[in-house]
């Protein structure tokens, strides 16, 4: 379950991924939210526009048409490689699709056949329309394809999702064929290949480009130890994300790779839910958020651990945040974290 990115956060994530972004008209407030909720979001859907012409395709996706009002997606991918932001919120792009496919996206497992149309996809997915006739002949230039991969990777990176959270419209809604057509230098548009390209990006920092030199961890590299320990009592308000100060808010700076574990000790009602995640704070104020890890409270003291490992840009700061959900829905009492520590290794 994920809350949709704010317009500013989405824009920052795309720019960090190296996308050439164009803000079109009032895209930040252009949506169909009056027709239903947007969120929780679980993945992204790839479409083609069945149109030609960059400007006209962008206008079509922003305005929609008589039978389907706009926005028809969140982003339009032009053949120039530019990504046009045309909506933020609920958009008319995914329609009704297969609930089993949605569950597979949530679980990041293999996709089943899309043989039902019983679930609202506009609520749960980001959507990109890539300008293409969809006739199986109109080609996607390499720069256009790469921009779509970056778009999908940026959103997955921001939410802590893997490439399995990326699907094609043809994998979601029965009867759909998009995306379709030849990709320059890659053969026909294949969603498994597309996901593999997204996965490759996610192995590297957001600024990475294929063919560029990327720092790698060698076996003989000597890691530095992370050792932060804090016994100061911290009051945690229920249902509110709190960045924990463990001997300093910034657990780690100046690294390129790390493996870390945050451990907390607290007393909560049995059955309460404890969630934690690491995140990378960028200099421009945006952030990459790591995977969500959940623990359940037990009798007496609860000892919960949260792990993460991966790449980080050396200008980013690694932090950890925590949220507490009481077992009883009407419980508003705060809890106290008695002990918190962070241990691990990092490489410069």
């Amino acid at each position: 379950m994920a809350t949709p990115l704010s317009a500013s956060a989405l824009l920052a994530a795309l720019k960090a991924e190296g996308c050439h972004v164009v803000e079109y008209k009032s895209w930040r407030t252009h949506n169909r939210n009056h027709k239903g909720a947007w969120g929780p979001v679980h993945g992204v859907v790839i479409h083609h526009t069945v149109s030609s012409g960059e400007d006209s395709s962008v206008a079509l996706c922003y305005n929609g048409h008589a039978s389907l009002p706009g926005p028809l997606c969140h982003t339009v991918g032009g053949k120039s490689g530019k990504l046009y932001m045309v909506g933020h919120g609920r958009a008319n792009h995914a329609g009704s699709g297969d609930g089993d496919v949605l569950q597979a996206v949530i679980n990041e497992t293999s996709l089943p056949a899309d043989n039902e149309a019983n679930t609202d996809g506009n609520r749960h997915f980001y959507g990109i329309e890539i300008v293409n006739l969809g006739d199986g002949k109109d080609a996607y230039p390499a720069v256009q394809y790469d921009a779509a991969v970056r778009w999908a990777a940026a959103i997955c990176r921001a939410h802590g999702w893997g490439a399995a959270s990326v699907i094609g419209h043809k994998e979601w809604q029965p009867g759909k064929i998009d995306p379709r057509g030849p990709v320059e230098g890659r053969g026909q548009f294949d969603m498994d290949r597309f996901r593999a390209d997204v996965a490759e990006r996610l192995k590297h920092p957001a600024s990475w480009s294929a063919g560029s030199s990327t720092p790698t961890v060698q076996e003989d590299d000597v890691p530095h130890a992370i050792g932060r320990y804090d016994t100061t009592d911290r009051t945690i308000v229920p249902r509110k994300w709190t960045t924990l100060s463990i001997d300093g808010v910034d657990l780690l700076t100046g690294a390129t790779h790390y493996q870390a574990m945050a451990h907390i000790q607290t007393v909560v009602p049995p059955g309460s839910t404890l969630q934690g995640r690491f995140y990378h704070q960028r200099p421009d104020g945006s952030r990459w958020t790591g995977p969500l890890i959940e623990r359940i409270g037990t009798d007496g003291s609860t000892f919960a651990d949260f792990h993460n490992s991966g790449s980080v840009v050396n200008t980013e700061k690694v932090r950890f945040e925590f949220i507490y959900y009481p077992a009883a829905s009407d419980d508003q009492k705060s809890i106290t974290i008695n002990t918190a520590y962070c241990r691990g290794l990092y490489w410069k």
Side-chain angles (χ1 to χ4, degrees):
M1 179 181 296
T3 301
L5 298 171
S6 67
S8 295
L10 175 58
L11 197 65
L14 293 173
K15 289 182 177 180
E17 204 74 34
C19 299
H20 184 173
V21 183
V22 179
E23 298 187 68
Y24 187 78
K25 293 188 176 180
S26 302
W27 75 275
R28 292 171 181 260
T29 55
H30 188 45
N31 55 59
R32 302 286 295 166
N33 289 357
H34 61 287
K35 290 294 185 180
W38 187 44
V41 287
H42 300 295
V44 302
V45 179
I46 312 300
H47 308 259
H48 61 227
T49 60
V50 196
S51 65
S52 62
E54 199 149 312
D55 292 343
S56 59
S57 295
V58 172
L60 172 64
C61 289
Y62 184 90
N63 296 316
H65 46 79
S67 60
L68 193 65
L72 303 184
C73 59
H74 300 100
T75 308
V76 179
K79 287 185 179 291
S80 65
K82 295 178 181 178
L83 296 175
Y84 298 83
M85 308 304 293
V86 296
H88 182 261
R90 185 182 178 91
N92 278 331
H93 73 99
S96 295
D98 196 312
D100 293 333
V101 172
L102 177 61
Q103 192 58 54
V105 170
I106 294 171
N107 296 337
E108 295 200 331
T109 55
S110 299
L111 297 176
D114 54 327
N115 53 22
E116 294 182 290
N118 57 7
T119 303
D120 178 11
N122 295 334
R123 176 177 183 176
H124 297 299
F125 291 102
Y126 296 88
I128 184 172
E129 289 277 1
I130 309 174
V131 177
N132 190 276
L133 291 173
D135 59 0
K137 300 176 182 179
D138 188 18
Y140 299 86
V143 67
Q144 183 185 34
Y145 178 87
D146 178 66
V149 170
R150 288 174 183 266
W151 176 88
I155 295 174
C156 288
R157 194 187 301 275
H159 281 295
W161 298 334
S165 291
V166 180
I167 61 172
H169 198 193
K170 59 188 175 185
E171 296 173 310
W172 166 248
Q173 191 174 45
K176 296 297 182 179
I177 63 171
D178 53 324
R180 180 188 183 206
V183 179
E184 181 183 357
R186 293 174 180 266
Q188 291 295 311
F189 203 121
D190 179 82
M191 283 308 304
D192 287 334
R193 174 65 183 274
F194 188 89
R195 279 185 284 268
D197 291 333
V198 171
E200 182 61 31
R201 283 208 62 81
L202 293 175
K203 294 177 183 177
H204 305 278
S207 58
W208 176 79
S209 292
S212 66
S213 58
T214 303
T216 56
V217 178
Q218 302 296 326
E219 290 185 1
D220 58 352
D221 284 346
V222 179
H224 303 265
I226 306 168
R228 294 185 173 275
Y229 190 84
D230 206 320
T231 57
T232 305
D233 286 350
R234 262 73 53 83
T235 300
I236 302 296
V237 177
R239 306 175 187 89
K240 180 182 179 181
W241 281 105
T242 302
T243 297
L244 286 188
S245 175
I246 308 176
D247 187 31
V249 172
D250 299 330
L251 303 179
L252 182 62
T253 57
T256 57
H257 297 77
Y258 70 96
Q259 299 173 349
M261 181 273 289
H263 180 99
I264 66 170
Q265 177 183 345
T266 184
V267 177
V268 298
S272 299
T273 301
L274 310 177
Q275 294 180 346
R277 61 192 179 191
F278 288 82
Y279 67 93
H280 302 171
Q281 187 69 39
R282 300 181 178 120
D284 64 2
S286 64
R287 56 184 269 179
W288 171 86
T289 303
L292 186 68
I293 300 172
E294 184 172 283
R295 303 291 185 234
I296 303 300
T298 57
D299 286 319
S301 292
T302 295
F303 301 87
D305 59 300
F306 308 89
H307 303 258
N308 195 53
S309 63
S311 301
V312 60
V313 178
N314 61 13
T315 58
E316 297 176 345
K317 301 173 180 179
V318 178
R319 297 176 177 176
F320 177 77
E321 61 183 359
F322 175 84
I323 194 169
Y324 159 65
Y325 295 98
S329 60
D330 59 348
D331 186 354
Q332 302 298 324
K333 295 180 182 178
S334 298
I335 63 170
T336 300
I337 292 180
N338 310 113
T339 302
Y341 63 81
C342 180
R343 293 177 179 172
L345 301 171
Y346 69 97
W347 292 259
K348 293 184 177 181

